[in-house]
Amino acid sequence: NSRDISLFLNVQNSAMSSDQVDNILNAAKSMNFSKIIFHARSGTTNLDSLERILPKLNELSVKTYYLLPVPEYGFSIPEEMYRNISSGKELSSISVSDYLMMNNSEIKRVNELSKKFGIRILDTPSIFCTPVCKVSDSEGLYYFDGGHLTLHGSRQLTPVFAQLLEN
């Protein structure tokens, strides 16, 4: 089964900022996007700009998705794991409740945008937090610092992206 799939990365430090609206819209028009996934670290997306662009993307029949932030830690996971193994201490963890509390305002606002404009929310906590947010498994670490996924960690998101390709 052959698919005509292209990937365009809008390389910025936020999923959406006020100065990106026109660039993303122009790219969507000129490259005939069918889907756009917005994703960034927690709290870095300008949600007002996202609200501004969504109706315009709807007019272009572009399906929009918001990949919720991955759980973030205020310390380097590899360094902390090494220190804890050396000292016999257990690694600090966060729960899905902690994640939801830390990201409450962003999740609430994106839910409002979903109801208003139909942006689909891609749920990262259900992948990483069951109910404790995992930082590794028997095959390796999910993070190379406190908030960026390793290749192994990003592979945990494969089911999310596979579902997008099917729809």
Side-chain angles (χ1 to χ4, degrees), residues 33-37 62-65 163-167:
F33 290 173
S34 62
K35 299 175 183 178
I36 293 181
I37 303 167
V62 176
K63 290 181 184 177
T64 53
Y65 302 85
Q163 182 182 0
L164 283 178
L165 294 174
E166 296 301 319
N167 298 327

Side-chain angles (χ1 to χ4, degrees), residues 80 84-85 87-93:
E80 190 73 9
N84 288 1
I85 289 170
S87 67
K89 289 176 29 181
E90 205 168 298
L91 184 69
S92 299
S93 62

Side-chain angles (χ1 to χ4, degrees), residues 42-98:
S42 179
T44 62
T45 299
N46 181 322
L47 296 169
D48 291 333
S49 295
L50 185 61
E51 183 170 13
R52 224 174 77 223
I53 197 172
L54 288 174
K56 296 172 183 178
L57 292 170
N58 283 346
E59 287 173 16
L60 297 171
S61 298
V62 176
K63 290 181 184 177
T64 53
Y65 302 85
Y66 194 89
L67 181 64
L68 291 175
V70 297
E72 291 187 38
Y73 297 82
F75 53 86
S76 169
I77 298 294
E79 289 176 18
E80 190 73 9
M81 286 183 91
Y82 176 77
R83 274 195 290 276
N84 288 1
I85 289 170
S86 301
S87 67
K89 289 176 29 181
E90 205 168 298
L91 184 69
S92 299
S93 62
I94 62 173
S95 68
V96 69
S97 299
D98 297 329

Side-chain angles (χ1 to χ4, degrees), residues 29-163:
K29 288 176 190 174
S30 67
M31 294 184 229
N32 203 23
F33 290 173
S34 62
K35 299 175 183 178
I36 293 181
I37 303 167
F38 295 97
H39 172 72
R41 293 186 70 181
S42 179
T44 62
T45 299
N46 181 322
L47 296 169
D48 291 333
S49 295
L50 185 61
E51 183 170 13
R52 224 174 77 223
I53 197 172
L54 288 174
K56 296 172 183 178
L57 292 170
N58 283 346
E59 287 173 16
L60 297 171
S61 298
V62 176
K63 290 181 184 177
T64 53
Y65 302 85
Y66 194 89
L67 181 64
L68 291 175
V70 297
E72 291 187 38
Y73 297 82
F75 53 86
S76 169
I77 298 294
E79 289 176 18
E80 190 73 9
M81 286 183 91
Y82 176 77
R83 274 195 290 276
N84 288 1
I85 289 170
S86 301
S87 67
K89 289 176 29 181
E90 205 168 298
L91 184 69
S92 299
S93 62
I94 62 173
S95 68
V96 69
S97 299
D98 297 329
Y99 172 91
L100 294 171
M101 191 168 47
M102 287 186 282
N103 294 283
N104 182 48
S105 61
E106 184 170 347
I107 292 170
K108 182 179 176 184
R109 182 76 187 281
V110 173
N111 276 318
E112 291 168 4
L113 295 176
S114 178
K115 289 175 186 161
K116 190 171 181 179
F117 300 108
I119 188 169
R120 293 148 191 92
I121 300 169
L122 305 174
D123 186 26
T124 55
S126 67
I127 293 170
F128 291 99
C129 307
T130 56
V132 173
C133 301
K134 300 175 283 192
V135 297
S136 66
D137 62 18
S138 62
E139 296 177 35
L141 292 175
Y142 291 170
Y143 295 86
F144 66 83
D145 61 14
H148 294 92
L149 296 175
T150 60
L151 288 176
H152 178 63
S154 60
R155 283 188 194 103
Q156 305 312 304
L157 296 169
T158 298
V160 171
F161 293 106
Q163 182 182 0

